[in-house]
Amino acid sequence: MFQASLVRSAVNTLSISLRWHSTRMAVRIEKDSFGDIEVPSDKLYGANTARSLRNFPIGDHRDVMPLEVVRSLALLKKAAAQVNRNFGLDPAIADLVTKAAQEVYDGVLDDHFPLVVWQTGSGTQTNMNVNEVISNRAIQMAGGELGSKHPVHPNDHVNMSQSSNDTFPTAMHLAIALECNNHLLAALGKMRDSLQRKADQFEGIIKIGRTHTQDATPVALSQEFSGYVQQMSNAVARIEAALPRIFELAAGGTAVGTGLNTRVGFAEKVAATLAEYTGLPFVTAPNKFEALAASDALVEFHGALNAAAVSINKIANDIRFLASGPRCGIGELILPENEPGSSIMPGKVNPTQCESITMIAAQVMGNNVAVTFGGSQGHFELNVFRPMMVNCVLQSIRLLGDGCRSFTDNCIDGIEANKERISALLNESLMLVTCLNSRIGYDKACSIAKHAHKNNLTLKEAALQLQYLSEEEFDAWVRPELMIAPAP
């Protein structure tokens, strides 16, 4: 109830703030199909955006539509203007739209995009927010009057040959592909490469393995880390395998996938233009009905992010448990000491980087649930959970990218092996007895392990007491370095 009260308080505060601004700030009057509405004079957005601010007073600055989506929409508007020039759009208007859209893409006009994620599920209000800002900025460039829709109209010119139903999913795919290629893949690769360096560094260090969190047979520390390397390589491969569907763009499908109000070749030319702008292999979606009605590509892509989060969570947990201590834990690894760990326990240092990235993994897994449910909400010709879905995907990309960089720089790169502790634990393990299965049989080997454990003996002492083998045989056969690979 307390949380609900806070939400209501925030909503009321935002509503009061909006009303106060509408009465205190200088305004101009703009029109849409519902009539006149006041718009702040210093803002480039128009009636559709102002009406959305009134209708969706939800959340705060943390809930604003990601700028990556806004800028991707602007890039699409720029591409559409250039293509539409070949289909009858006045070249002068096309140039104005192109220049204004470029300013949006460059981040010059970020303050003019106030709408929250929690709006119409098609993203129509954000599409119109971008249309209005580009239109009014183009009007400014032409020396016209803001809100006049002359000489550049937000619908007739900026949104020419487009619908929110195809522009928003196109912008989603653009934003995800750009963020993935510019931010995430390099970070995952950085973490993988650091783990590989550690695997190389730890070559020749043999330790006890663990299954079910209990002692198992020996394994090389380098082998253990090679598993982490493979997990990260697989994570990159899964994401790259999902990208081809992200590179498919809905632009040209317009309202329901039929391409109404476009021209033959528009969709292909827009995709080719965006590929030229970004250097990424964007293509027009082969079936616009699927591209509008479903968001399966995002579900698939985030599924790959979810798998990466699962892998990273396992790696980080292994590292923090292997480094537990320093006196009373496993203590096989030594982690960098980055900051004080306790406000009450002097000298305590904690595995904070492991904790940070496992929290990130938990958030990504939560996002995966939301994206999965959102993807299931494709009713008839249109999915209507898209703003939420793209918000979750972009957050996961950002968190995984930043988290992997931080984890690599502040933890993995500085990990050292505690060779003395590793050797002590290895030689105390009862599971070294496993190598005797092929020599004296499973049952006798089991008797040795149980006798040693019950009587607090070493394996060697137990084996000799039970007279299952000689001291020379034990020393020749129970050698950890021979237990980490198949016999020749």
Side-chain angles (χ1 to χ4, degrees):
M1 291 181 64
F2 176 69
Q3 189 175 16
S5 176
L6 285 177
V7 172
R8 286 194 296 273
S9 176
V11 170
N12 290 336
T13 300
L14 182 57
S15 299
I16 291 169
S17 175
L18 288 171
R19 288 197 297 271
W20 187 88
H21 280 291
S22 68
T23 56
R24 299 284 183 173
M25 295 177 61
V27 298
R28 67 178 185 272
I29 303 298
E30 290 214 17
K31 295 182 179 181
D32 61 11
S33 60
F34 276 71
D36 294 350
I37 189 169
E38 292 182 343
V39 178
S41 295
D42 63 339
K43 297 300 181 185
L44 292 175
Y45 58 74
N48 281 270
T49 305
R51 204 172 296 283
S52 182
L53 285 171
R54 287 189 181 182
N55 291 338
F56 300 99
I58 302 168
D60 57 21
H61 65 279
R62 292 166 292 189
D63 297 281
V64 171
M65 183 67 68
L67 286 171
E68 294 88 351
V69 176
V70 169
R71 292 171 184 170
S72 293
L73 277 167
L75 195 65
L76 171 59
K77 304 297 176 180
K78 176 182 175 181
Q82 291 304 308
V83 173
N84 279 325
R85 179 196 297 265
N86 300 321
F87 294 126
L89 180 62
D90 185 325
I93 292 176
D95 287 343
L96 287 170
V97 170
T98 297
K99 291 176 183 176
Q102 186 64 49
E103 288 190 359
V104 174
Y105 182 74
D106 291 340
V108 177
L109 305 175
D110 287 352
D111 291 342
H112 300 271
F113 299 97
L115 300 187
V116 294
V117 169
W118 317 113
Q119 53 170 277
T120 178
S122 62
T124 298
Q125 278 92 28
T126 290
N127 181 48
M128 283 307 304
N129 187 180
V130 174
N131 289 336
E132 289 172 341
V133 170
I134 291 174
S135 169
N136 274 325
R137 180 64 186 121
I139 289 169
Q140 273 187 335
M141 292 175 175
E145 180 184 351
L146 289 184
S148 66
K149 303 181 182 179
H150 180 79
V152 179
H153 195 286
N155 298 81
D156 296 340
H157 300 137
V158 184
N159 203 60
M160 182 179 177
S161 304
Q162 303 158 64
S163 161
S164 299
N165 297 351
D166 67 343
T167 58
F168 198 83
T170 297
M172 290 165 60
H173 284 218
L174 283 170
I176 290 167
L178 289 167
E179 286 299 292
C180 179
N181 279 274
N182 296 337
H183 187 64
L184 177 60
L185 290 176
L188 295 173
K190 178 184 177 79
M191 181 172 163
R192 176 198 59 211
D193 293 345
S194 180
L195 289 166
Q196 181 63 64
R197 288 192 295 273
K198 289 299 162 182
D200 296 340
Q201 177 184 331
F202 297 149
E203 190 71 40
I205 300 174
I206 301 172
K207 52 163 284 181
I208 198 65
R210 295 176 180 86
T211 58
H212 305 271
T213 71
Q214 306 298 299
D215 300 350
T217 56
V219 63
L221 185 57
S222 59
Q223 291 174 324
E224 195 166 41
F225 269 72
S226 76
Y228 306 152
V229 173
Q230 189 63 52
Q231 282 187 281
M232 295 307 297
S233 295
N234 291 345
V236 171
R238 289 188 192 99
I239 291 169
E240 290 178 337
L243 278 173
R245 266 72 65 199
I246 296 296
F247 291 139
E248 295 177 0
L249 303 181
T254 62
V256 297
T258 61
L260 179 66
N261 287 352
T262 67
R263 301 281 292 276
V264 173
F266 173 82
E268 291 77 10
K269 286 182 170 60
V270 166
T273 302
L274 289 169
E276 180 182 346
Y277 288 165
T278 61
L280 296 176
F282 290 111
V283 295
T284 190
N287 188 300
K288 303 300 187 298
F289 305 103
E290 183 273 343
L292 269 62
S295 287
D296 295 350
L298 266 70
V299 176
E300 177 191 17
F301 181 82
H302 199 280
L305 300 185
N306 190 62
V310 169
S311 296
I312 290 167
N313 191 75
K314 182 265 192 293
I315 294 167
N317 273 336
D318 277 10
I319 287 172
R320 68 168 151 186
F321 294 141
L322 290 172
S324 59
R327 296 278 180 95
C328 303
I330 295 176
E332 292 181 346
L333 297 180
I334 301 170
L335 304 187
E337 297 185 352
N338 296 327
E339 65 271 313
S342 174
S343 61
I344 189 172
M345 292 175 279
K348 195 171 192 298
V349 179
N350 296 326
T352 52
Q353 288 294 319
C354 297
E355 292 165 2
S356 172
I357 203 163
T358 52
M359 286 192 290
I360 287 172
Q363 182 63 61
V364 173
M365 294 173 200
N367 284 347
N368 197 59
V369 174
V371 171
T372 301
F373 183 81
S376 73
Q377 301 306 297
H379 307 137
F380 306 118
E381 276 64 61
L382 188 66
N383 180 283
V384 290
F385 271 59
R386 284 190 161 128
M388 178 275 290
M389 293 181 72
V390 72
N391 188 54
C392 286
V393 175
L394 290 173
Q395 184 192 44
S396 293
I397 290 173
R398 183 177 68 253
L399 290 177
L400 285 173
D402 290 347
C404 285
R405 285 188 177 88
S406 178
F407 189 49
T408 300
D409 292 339
N410 298 307
C411 183
I412 298 174
D413 283 351
I415 292 175
E416 296 295 335
N418 186 343
K419 296 180 182 179
E420 182 178 347
R421 178 66 171 166
I422 289 172
S423 178
L425 291 175
L426 173 66
N427 291 317
E428 289 176 5
S429 174
L430 301 176
M431 290 302 100
L432 298 180
V433 77
T434 305
C435 68
L436 296 178
N437 288 355
S438 61
R439 303 286 187 174
I440 63 175
Y442 178 89
D443 290 338
K444 288 183 178 179
C446 186
S447 295
I448 293 173
K450 287 184 174 294
H451 185 67
H453 183 57
K454 182 178 180 179
N455 296 286
N456 196 29
L457 303 171
T458 66
L459 282 177
K460 185 174 183 178
E461 290 169 341
L464 295 179
Q465 281 189 11
L466 293 174
Q467 298 182 352
Y468 287 156
L469 66 167
S470 67
E471 183 174 358
E472 292 75 14
E473 288 173 327
F474 187 94
D475 291 340
W477 294 341
V478 184
R479 295 170 58 191
E481 67 272 18
L482 301 179
M483 301 184 198
I484 61 172

